[in-house]
Structure formats: C-alpha cells, structure tokens
Amino acid sequence: MLFWLKIRVLLCRKSRCTQQTGINMNRKERENQCDIVLGEAVLELLGEKATLTDAALLQKLQDFLVDAGDRWRETAIRDAIKMVSGENTRH
C-alpha cells in the first residue's frame, strides 16, 4: 500500500511541475503529461480492484476525457488513448 501511495505522490508532484496553461507544449512535456494521465488511470483501476486490460484502461481514459477541464489535459488524454489503442508509437 505504501508503494502505491509513493507513486501517487510522485505523479502529483510531476503533474504540478509540468502543468501548462496553454496547448503549446513541446514533445517532452506532452509525453510527460501523457505518462501522468496513464499513471492516474492505472492507479484508479487498481484502487477499484479492476483487472488491468487495454479495454479497461481505454474506458477509464474516455471517462477522464469527459471530465477534462483544461486543454493541456484533454491533449494528454487523447495522446494516452492513441498510445493504448496502438495508433501512436513513442520512442
């Protein structure tokens, strides 16, 4: 349990450090935001004791997209959806 708490704290710190007010993000910032959103989705699924599958992850990301308030977060969620669905490959 402590392990997951540490991950959550690290994700929150990373999110606050890289949060952008506009849509103009460089590639590294977009990748960081995408990683944060994926981490949040995985942590929520683990908290729900759900099975971690691509389908469950995609559904959670779609739920996040509905509630996305900021343009940077919407962009990060869309990037994460593309990555999980295999539409985009990162190096």
Side-chain angles (χ1 to χ4, degrees), residues 18-27 29-30 71-72 75:
T18 60
Q19 199 172 69
Q20 301 293 316
T21 57
I23 198 70
N24 296 327
M25 293 185 275
N26 67 34
R27 181 174 171 224
E29 290 169 330
R30 281 184 70 153
R71 289 182 65 201
W72 68 266
T75 299

Side-chain angles (χ1 to χ4, degrees), residues 9-40:
V9 168
L10 289 173
L11 285 171
C12 288
R13 283 184 190 158
K14 188 174 182 182
S15 179
R16 280 195 303 268
C17 290
T18 60
Q19 199 172 69
Q20 301 293 316
T21 57
I23 198 70
N24 296 327
M25 293 185 275
N26 67 34
R27 181 174 171 224
K28 184 66 176 168
E29 290 169 330
R30 281 184 70 153
E31 288 177 0
N32 284 340
Q33 291 299 330
C34 180
D35 292 344
I36 291 167
V37 168
L38 283 171
E40 290 172 357

Side-chain angles (χ1 to χ4, degrees), residues 39-87:
E40 290 172 357
V42 168
L43 285 174
E44 282 203 18
L45 289 170
L46 289 172
E48 296 168 2
K49 297 186 190 285
T51 304
L52 291 178
T53 64
D54 286 347
L57 192 53
L58 285 169
Q59 182 58 55
K60 183 60 69 178
L61 291 168
Q62 291 289 343
D63 293 345
F64 283 0
L65 192 57
V66 170
D67 295 330
D70 299 317
R71 289 182 65 201
W72 68 266
R73 183 159 174 83
E74 182 179 330
T75 299
I77 295 167
R78 289 186 190 284
D79 288 347
I81 290 170
K82 287 177 186 175
M83 191 165 79
V84 172
S85 63
E87 293 178 27

Side-chain angles (χ1 to χ4, degrees), residues 1-14 43:
M1 184 62 152
L2 183 59
F3 174 74
W4 296 115
L5 181 59
K6 287 180 182 179
I7 290 176
R8 183 177 295 272
V9 168
L10 289 173
L11 285 171
C12 288
R13 283 184 190 158
K14 188 174 182 182
L43 285 174

